[in-house]
Amino acid sequence: MFRSPGEIALKLGLFQIHWYGIIICIAFFTGFVIVLKLSKKFDMSEDQIYDISFYSLISAIIGARFYYVLVNLHYFLTYPQEIIMVWHGGISIHGAIFGGLISLYVYSKKQSINFLKLTDLFSIGLILGQSIGRWGNFFNSEAFGKPTNLPWKLYIPLAKRPVEYINYQYFHPTFLYESVWNLIVFILLLLTLNYKKNLKIGELTCLYFIFYSIGRAFIEQLRVDSVFSPHNIPIAFIISIFLILTGITGLVLIAFHGKKYKENI
């Protein structure tokens, strides 16, 4: 059984450090280290990685918040002052992905670097960061699934339960399912990078889109706290299907028109 010890890691007077923030910092740093270690395989310098990572982080944070505000527009139109209050919660990984892609595209154009080569490299660090980052949801008692009595059930405090599940104590730890799935995808991308012969630029990005999104699409069906569900279909599920189709289309195009990496990969 899982049970969060609480959201606050350290409290000094009015100053509080949240576990979520700590986990996100660890996730970013770990992903950054992976990207840095793999940079030579992609003919990238460490200075370039430092520059790209800084801009991508800022862009990802803005994208993550903008996306969340967009899919909860009615609430934020009513309380516009909440838009900048990120510490109250409300960021989205899909928004972070789109925001990061924008920064990578802009950087690739300015530095005359192949955009898909950048996304291939950063997708490996990103998926590992996502695996770690999901544990922030554990400490916040969020991103959980339907009620269950399985041995790995997650206890959710009364204040965090949806009204329709107020009398249930234990739920599917969907944060854990996604964390494990993302770790598997990370290993898959590494194996593909190191062992696939004639790897083509863009393949890793497409595989990331496909396999991450397959896991997210299935796991989303279990969640009871999905954001914005038009016609009872979670928006995250819709975006996941879009990314799967994008990845499959990309692989087909790359197979016929893609360029191979150099032999050092």
Side-chain angles (χ1 to χ4, degrees):
M1 183 187 77
F2 291 89
R3 182 169 185 160
S4 169
E7 301 177 19
I8 309 301
L10 181 64
K11 187 173 182 180
L12 298 172
L14 297 177
F15 182 71
Q16 296 179 341
I17 297 178
H18 290 249
W19 278 112
Y20 190 90
I22 294 174
I23 296 297
I24 294 301
C25 287
I26 293 173
F28 173 78
F29 180 75
T30 304
F32 169 75
V33 169
I34 292 296
V35 169
L36 201 61
K37 287 185 175 296
L38 295 175
S39 59
K40 290 183 179 179
K41 285 181 172 287
F42 293 82
D43 297 321
M44 301 287 295
S45 69
E46 290 190 0
D47 287 341
Q48 287 177 312
I49 299 303
Y50 277 100
D51 287 343
I52 301 171
S53 297
F54 173 77
Y55 293 119
S56 294
L57 175 62
I58 301 301
S59 184
I61 293 173
I62 294 174
R65 185 58 173 178
F66 178 78
Y67 180 97
Y68 185 84
V69 170
L70 191 62
V71 298
N72 292 277
L73 193 56
H74 179 74
Y75 173 82
F76 286 103
L77 286 177
T78 305
Y79 304 99
Q81 71 277 8
E82 288 281 334
I83 292 176
I84 62 172
M85 298 181 181
V86 182
W87 54 91
H88 286 179
I91 57 175
S92 166
I93 184 58
H94 281 138
I97 291 171
F98 294 138
L101 285 174
I102 291 172
S103 66
L104 291 181
Y105 180 77
V106 172
Y107 189 90
S108 71
K109 291 302 180 183
K110 286 186 175 181
Q111 300 296 323
S112 298
I113 301 172
N114 188 297
F115 171 61
L116 291 178
K117 182 185 286 188
L118 282 180
T119 59
D120 280 352
L121 171 58
F122 276 81
S123 65
I124 301 174
L126 174 60
I127 193 65
L128 180 59
Q130 288 176 241
S131 178
I132 297 170
R134 273 301 174 192
W135 282 88
N137 300 132
F138 164 67
F139 289 100
N140 280 358
S141 295
E142 61 189 10
F144 53 89
K146 297 175 182 177
T148 183
N149 277 314
L150 291 169
W152 52 85
K153 59 192 176 185
L154 172 68
Y155 174 80
I156 296 297
L158 184 64
K160 296 281 187 175
R161 299 172 201 164
V163 174
E164 61 270 32
Y165 298 108
I166 201 72
N167 294 321
Y168 293 89
Q169 292 184 323
Y170 303 106
F171 299 79
H172 278 282
T174 47
F175 83 90
L176 176 63
Y177 301 162
E178 190 169 334
S179 178
V180 172
W181 177 254
N182 289 346
L183 182 60
I184 292 171
V185 177
F186 167 71
I187 294 171
L188 172 65
L189 293 183
L190 272 186
L191 291 175
T192 302
L193 173 66
N194 290 320
Y195 296 106
K196 186 180 186 299
K197 295 182 179 180
N198 300 320
L199 182 66
K200 292 183 177 181
I201 296 173
E203 281 191 74
L204 292 173
T205 301
C206 292
L207 290 175
Y208 163 78
F209 281 160
I210 293 169
F211 286 103
Y212 161 63
S213 299
I214 286 174
R216 180 64 188 269
F218 276 103
I219 294 168
E220 199 68 24
Q221 303 308 300
L222 278 176
R223 286 181 58 172
V224 296
D225 63 340
S226 297
V227 175
F228 188 62
S229 299
H231 304 291
N232 293 320
I233 302 175
I235 188 65
F237 178 84
I238 297 172
I239 297 297
S240 295
I241 297 302
F242 168 75
L243 291 178
I244 291 170
L245 295 176
T246 300
I248 293 173
T249 303
L251 286 181
V252 172
L253 294 175
I254 290 168
F256 289 100
H257 305 289
K259 295 180 180 179
K260 297 178 182 178
Y261 276 105
K262 293 180 180 179
E263 290 301 320
N264 64 330
I265 283 192

